[in-house]
C-alpha cells in the first residue's frame, strides 16, 4: 500500500524540517521536495519591478515533479527507500510505503490533486515569516522589497485559492508552534490514517 502526505507551507514555515523528522519516524518513508524542481534563474520570468517570479508554478518544472511522484508510487520498493522499520511503529504497517511531498505550491496544481491521502498547510503570521526569511541565504539573493513585493502577496493569493476550494480537505497547522508539537500532531494523525486504511 502507498500512502502520500503533503506538507505545504509559507516560506520558512518549517515544512522541510517536519518532513525530515517524520521520515525518521515512519516505516518505508521517502521525501520528494518541490524545491528540487525549480527552473534555472535564466528561465524564471522577471516582472516590471525587476523581481524574479519564483513563487509561482511557472517557475517550476511541475510536469517533472508529477512524473517523479507517479514513478515512486508505481514502484516504491525500487526507489531506494530505506526499509528498516523505525522503533515504535505498529507491526501492521510493515507493508506500507509512505511518500512525503513537501513544497510551497502543491494544492492548486490539478494533476496532483488525486494522489494525496493527507494535506497539511503550515502557516505563519507576516512578521514571523519575514523575520525567518531574513535569516536565510538564497541563491539568487532576495532583492530589496522582494518579500513584500512578491513572496508574501503570492503566499496570500495561493492560501486564499486553497481556502476557497471547498472540495479540498486541508489541515492548517500553526507554524509558530514548537517543532515537537507539530511533529507529534502530524505523526499521530498519519498513524491514525494508516490504521484506517488497513482496516
Amino acid at each position: 500500500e502507498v500512502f502520500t502526505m503533503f506538507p505545504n507551507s509559507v516560506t520558512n514555515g518549517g515544512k522541510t524540517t517536519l518532513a525530515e523528522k517524520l521520515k525518521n519516524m515512519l516505516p518505508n518513508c521517502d521525501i520528494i521536495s518541490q524545491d528540487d524542481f525549480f527552473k534555472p534563474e535564466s528561465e524564471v520570468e522577471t516582472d516590471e519591478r525587476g523581481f524574479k517570479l519564483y513563487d509561482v508554478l511557472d517557475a517550476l518544472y511541475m510536469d517533472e515533479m508529477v512524473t517523479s511522484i507517479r514513478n515512486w508510487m508505481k514502484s516504491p520498493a525500487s526507489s531506494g527507500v530505506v526499509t528498516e522499520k523505525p522503533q515504535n511503529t505498529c507491526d501492521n504497517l510493515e507493508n506500507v510505503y509512505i511518500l512525503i511531498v513537501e513544497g510551497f505550491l502543491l494544492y492548486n496544481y490539478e494533476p496532483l490533486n488525486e494522489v494525496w491521502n493527507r494535506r497539511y498547510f503550515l502557516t505563519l503570521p507576516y512578521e514571523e515569516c519575514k523575520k525567518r526569511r531574513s535569516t536565510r541565504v538564497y541563491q539568487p539573493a532576495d532583492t530589496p522589497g522582494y518579500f513584500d513585493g512578491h513572496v508574501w502577496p503570492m503566499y496570500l493569493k495561493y492560501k486564499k485559492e486553497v481556502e476557497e476550494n471547498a472540495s479540498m480537505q486541508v489541515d492548517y497547522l500553526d507554524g509558530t508552534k514548537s517543532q515537537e508539537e507539530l511533529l507529534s500532531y502530524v505523526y499521530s494523525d498519519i498513524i491514525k490514517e494508516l490504521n484506517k486504511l488497513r482496516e
Side-chain angles (χ1 to χ4, degrees), residues 62-193:
M62 288 303 293
D63 51 347
E64 286 183 20
M65 186 177 183
V66 172
T67 300
S68 295
I69 292 168
R70 293 200 182 283
N71 286 344
W72 190 97
M73 290 174 74
K74 270 184 230 155
S75 184
S78 65
S79 65
V81 64
V82 177
T83 52
E84 293 159 23
K85 193 169 68 163
Q87 291 162 337
N88 79 6
T89 298
C90 321
D91 289 336
N92 67 338
L93 300 179
E94 275 185 67
N95 299 322
V96 172
Y97 288 88
I98 298 169
L99 179 63
I100 299 173
V101 180
E102 60 100 357
F104 67 107
L105 281 177
L106 294 172
Y107 302 151
N108 60 356
Y109 189 65
E110 200 57 43
L112 283 176
N113 271 351
E114 76 276 12
V115 300
W116 38 53
N117 295 87
R118 297 292 284 141
R119 300 178 183 94
Y120 304 96
F121 197 132
L122 281 146
T123 64
L124 281 178
Y126 169 83
E127 291 296 344
E128 176 64 19
C129 186
K130 190 170 186 177
K131 187 173 86 179
R132 290 189 192 182
R133 176 99 182 185
S134 69
T135 65
R136 292 273 293 275
V137 178
Y138 288 91
Q139 288 298 332
D142 282 358
T143 51
Y146 188 67
F147 180 83
D148 288 313
H150 176 61
V151 177
W152 188 253
M154 286 298 102
Y155 161 65
L156 293 178
K157 175 177 180 284
Y158 172 58
K159 184 166 174 273
K160 187 165 179 269
E161 284 173 11
V162 174
E163 287 169 341
E164 287 175 351
N165 186 340
S167 66
M168 196 180 292
Q169 282 189 302
V170 178
D171 204 340
Y172 293 92
L173 308 176
D174 178 356
T176 63
K177 288 187 173 172
S178 71
Q179 286 180 5
E180 291 72 24
E181 203 174 340
L182 289 166
L183 183 65
S184 172
Y185 172 79
V186 176
Y187 175 77
S188 301
D189 191 53
I190 291 168
I191 294 297
K192 257 188 273 180
E193 285 295 313

Side-chain angles (χ1 to χ4, degrees), residues 18-59:
L18 179 64
E20 290 290 349
K21 288 186 172 179
L22 284 166
K23 181 181 176 180
N24 292 332
M25 294 172 71
L26 292 163
N28 306 333
C29 186
D30 224 344
I31 297 173
I32 288 176
S33 173
Q34 192 172 35
D35 283 357
D36 294 337
F37 296 90
F38 271 114
K39 293 176 181 176
E41 189 183 355
S42 59
E43 288 183 38
V44 176
E45 284 185 46
T46 305
D47 72 4
E48 66 281 356
R49 299 162 298 179
F51 292 149
K52 282 277 177 187
L53 303 180
Y54 274 104
D55 288 51
V56 296
L57 286 168
D58 281 348

